[in-house]
Structures are given as structure tokens and as C-alpha cells.
Amino acid sequence: MEKNIAVIRGDGIGPEIVEQALRVLDKVAEVFGHTFNYTDVDMGGCAIDKWGDPLPQEMLERCVNSDSVLLGAVGGNKWNDVPGDKRPEKGLLRLRAGMGVYSNNRPAKIWPQLADASPLKKSVVDKGIDFIIVRELIGGIYFGEHKTETVDGKPTAIDVLKYSEDEIERIGRIGFETARKRGKRLCSVEKSNVLDSSRLWKKVMHALAEEYPDVELSDMLVDNCAMQIVKDPSQFDVVVTENMFGDILSDEASMITGSIGMIPSSSLGAGTCGLYEPIHGSAPDIAGMDIANPIGTILSAAMMLRFSFDMPEEADAVENAVSAYLDAGYRTADIMSEGMTQVGCKKCGELIIANIGKE
Ligand code: IPM
Ligand code: MG
């Protein structure tokens, strides 16, 4: 098969981790007989520097016209003082909205090889951590009106959190469908004891549940969920939640698996063109030092193969190659532990590539 991939290297460690993911994709193409064409896209801080805009329209079009988009990370202190609507992150939000990718899927799964890296007690980790957060990605407070004005002579900031029934229903369906393909348990997370948007959220989820009698639906308040994720993560199968709650909970969920550097994500909308990115940030403090962990991006490329290109064997090959790399005792600095061999970003990519097509 031939696929056109838009590639956003981004800022900070973005370029170096994306480089390793592309090498992995090249190896997959070679082993399985595919052709992957890459088109570079400027987005984030580097696009601000080059074009004065975190996502010029032409760059968005390149993404929308591709078969899928692979993204490293964007942002950095260098752009902290630019106005809110010109920040690197705004490019990412415009990209997500422009591609219509409303459903963000973030797995929290512990690699058995990394169980010691989890900050949780062994007795908790041993019960198993394997759940997915389905996060609504293009609505809610991220996309409501943001403004700062003077009220009674004082600066006052306003951010609007708004959800329509349709927006909730479409992400709710993804939650139910995802649960149906897994352990058939869906936990809907909201703040219905305080927020109207959450009360509507809960109502829509329960109406949808009628259509999915095989899936067990439960409700959880977001503050309780934050607590339960560290108390007993084994209780979760699929969590579905709104944009900002999903942002926060997915960082927490990634940390209990050992390293945020290991977690990929997929974002999909109505079609098969998806956006694939690790969930960590651009880590400018370690950029260019060849010590970043590229696995989150490599596994994001695997998700692209699986969910957008319908290449499950190829995706398995990449995931197995990562597992074999960990089995062999190699670790980047973020997950380094005693007795393991520390490697840099490039070397990590190389070792994983060497495991593809071996079986
Ligand atoms: C994420 C990030 C982004 C978000 C930022 C960079 C805008 O934290 O993908 O989780 O908040 O969605
Ligand atoms: Mg986040």
C-alpha cells in the first residue's frame, strides 16, 4: 500500500523523536512492502519563527489532505510571551479542530518490564494497569470564548465551557464502541455535582447506554476519578470524559505506568485520517541532547498503522519490537533503573528497528 503521511516535527525534542519514528516506519515499509511518503508540516513554535503563525492555512491543508499526521511535540519557554491566540499550542488546537479529530484515545498500560518504574506500590501495580482514556478533543473549555477584560476596575478573565448534546453523543459513542471491543466496562467521568455541562454529559451517556446493553456504564466525579486512578487503577477499562478532564487525567494515568515518555495517542474524527502524537510535551530542557525517549512517538506511529491504515500485523510488529527492546534491558534515561543498559534517543530507535521483521 502507498500512504501519504504529513509529518510535524515541532519544537524541543520533537524533531529527534519523530526522526526515530520515521526510521521505524521506513523499516516497516521495507519489511511489509509498503510505500510511505512524507510531507513536512511546520506547526508550533518553529512555525511562529518562520511564518509568524503557529499553523499557517497551507500547513493545515497539507494535514487535511494527507492519509494521516504524525506529530512530535510543540511549545517551549521561548514563546511564553506571545499572545494567547498566537502561542504554539494554539497551532495544535487549530490542527485538531481543522482535522475534526474529536476523539482522542490515550492508553494507560503498564509494560511488565517497567513495573518497577511506576511510582505506585507493587501491590497496586500487580493488580494490573490496562485502561484507555477516551478524551473529547475539540470542544469544551479549550474552544469556548477566552477573554480578559476589566470589570469594576480589575482585570477579570473568562473561559467558557460549552458542550452541545451532539458533541457529547458522538464522543460517548466512541466510548461505548471502545469498551465493546475490550472489557465492556465504560466509566463516564464528569463533575455533575457542580457543572451544567456535566449534567448534560451524564444524561446523554445514560441515554446512549440503552443502545449498548452489553456495556456496563458507571459514572464517576472527576475528583474521585483522580483519586481512584492512584488507589486502584485496575478497576478501569475505558474512561470517557470531556476535553480538560481528559487532559489532566491522562497525564496522571501515564505517570502511574512508569513514564509519560512511553504513551502514544490517536485522534480520529469521522474519516480515517488521524492525528498521532505522544502525550508528552516538547521538553525543551533536554532538546538536542539525544537523551529523549522516542517510544511514545514510535508507538503513535504503530497506532497510525493500526487505526488509520488498517495494518494490524505491521502495528503488532512495531509493538513487539518495542517489547523485545525492553526485554533486552535497554532503557532511555527517563526509565533507567539499576542493572539496565542506558541508551540515547537514536540508539533506542536503532535497536527497535533491528527487531522489526525478525520473527
Ligand atoms: C496534550 C497537551 C495539549 C493539551 C497542550 C499542549 C495544548 O497537554 O495533548 O495533552 O492540553 O491538549
Ligand atoms: Mg496534556
Side-chain angles (χ1 to χ4, degrees):
M1 260 193 254
E2 182 167 354
K3 295 288 178 191
N4 298 318
I5 302 173
V7 177
I8 306 175
R9 294 166 203 269
D11 310 314
I13 57 170
E16 50 198 299
I17 53 178
V18 165
E19 197 55 42
Q20 300 315 311
L22 295 183
R23 291 172 70 200
V24 166
L25 285 172
D26 285 341
K27 182 69 185 273
V28 167
E30 183 195 314
V31 171
F32 291 87
H34 301 302
T35 304
F36 297 139
N37 307 314
Y38 309 120
T39 307
D40 273 309
V41 170
D42 298 324
M43 197 264 282
C46 57
I48 298 175
D49 290 351
K50 204 159 151 191
W51 309 103
D53 180 343
L55 182 67
Q57 186 60 26
E58 196 217 315
M59 297 293 163
L60 172 61
E61 274 159 27
R62 284 186 198 177
C63 294
V64 172
N65 295 327
S66 71
D67 291 315
S68 264
V69 181
L70 182 69
L71 161 65
V74 295
N77 296 335
K78 185 175 167 197
W79 303 280
N80 273 353
D81 294 329
V82 297
D85 65 333
K86 283 269 178 247
R87 284 183 65 95
E89 291 81 357
K90 195 70 189 183
L92 179 57
L93 299 185
R94 272 172 31 205
L95 177 66
R96 290 170 176 170
M99 290 179 69
V101 288
Y102 61 84
S103 167
N104 180 222
N105 176 324
R106 299 188 163 186
K109 187 173 174 180
I110 195 132
W111 292 79
Q113 301 95 325
L114 299 182
D116 286 346
S118 172
L120 297 185
K121 272 196 268 183
K122 189 170 178 314
S123 57
V124 177
V125 175
D126 283 350
K127 290 169 81 179
I129 303 176
D130 182 5
F131 65 100
I132 287 183
I133 296 181
V134 174
R135 167 187 176 194
E136 199 292 324
L137 202 60
I138 56 175
I141 201 161
Y142 276 56
F143 290 90
E145 191 189 1
H146 307 291
K147 63 178 177 190
T148 305
E149 53 190 29
T150 304
V151 177
D152 297 334
K154 299 271 183 209
T156 303
I158 301 165
D159 297 289
V160 176
L161 165 49
K162 187 171 111 191
Y163 268 111
S164 71
E165 192 178 59
D166 289 352
E167 285 175 296
I168 300 171
E169 189 184 319
R170 68 180 180 180
I171 190 67
R173 279 190 192 286
I174 304 285
F176 278 100
E177 297 288 342
T178 309
R180 184 170 261 179
K181 289 188 205 127
R182 293 178 40 108
K184 300 193 168 39
R185 285 181 298 120
L186 179 65
C187 181
S188 162
V189 172
E190 28 71 2
K191 188 72 186 169
S192 57
N193 54 348
V194 177
L195 302 176
D196 257 53
S197 56
S198 281
R199 285 188 271 272
L200 181 60
W201 180 278
K202 188 170 173 182
K203 193 169 148 216
V204 173
M205 290 298 155
H206 281 267
L208 272 177
E210 312 260 308
E211 290 178 43
Y212 297 87
D214 52 324
V215 176
E216 183 195 317
L217 173 70
S218 59
D219 306 297
M220 197 177 274
L221 296 175
V222 63
D223 46 353
N224 184 28
C225 182
M227 180 176 76
Q228 296 298 334
I229 285 177
V230 287
K231 187 173 169 233
D232 179 15
S234 74
Q235 68 187 284
F236 296 108
D237 178 24
V238 178
V239 167
V240 64
T241 192
E242 64 95 46
N243 204 345
M244 188 160 71
F245 298 162
D247 176 47
I248 298 167
L249 295 177
S250 62
D251 267 32
E252 186 191 14
S254 73
M255 198 55 229
I256 62 165
T257 69
S259 168
I260 194 167
M262 297 285 297
I263 312 285
S265 81
S266 67
S267 304
L268 285 156
T272 58
C273 177
L275 171 61
Y276 295 84
E277 48 174 323
I279 80 158
H280 61 71
S282 61
D285 50 323
I286 58 163
M289 292 165 68
D290 192 35
I291 58 172
N293 187 349
I295 294 183
T297 317
I298 290 173
L299 293 174
S300 298
M303 285 183 111
M304 174 187 287
L305 297 171
R306 190 181 303 283
F307 298 122
S308 283
F309 299 168
D310 197 18
M311 298 180 180
E313 255 181 73
E314 291 81 339
D316 285 346
V318 175
E319 288 166 5
N320 293 340
V322 170
S323 190
Y325 156 91
L326 294 172
D327 281 341
Y330 296 110
R331 303 285 186 268
T332 40
D334 55 320
I335 51 172
M336 183 56 191
S337 64
E338 221 186 300
M340 301 292 129
T341 310
Q342 189 163 333
V343 294
C345 181
K346 248 196 209 137
K347 186 75 188 168
C348 170
E350 243 166 66
L351 290 161
I352 290 171
I353 290 158
N355 294 334
I356 297 175
K358 241 184 167 179
E359 313 101 281

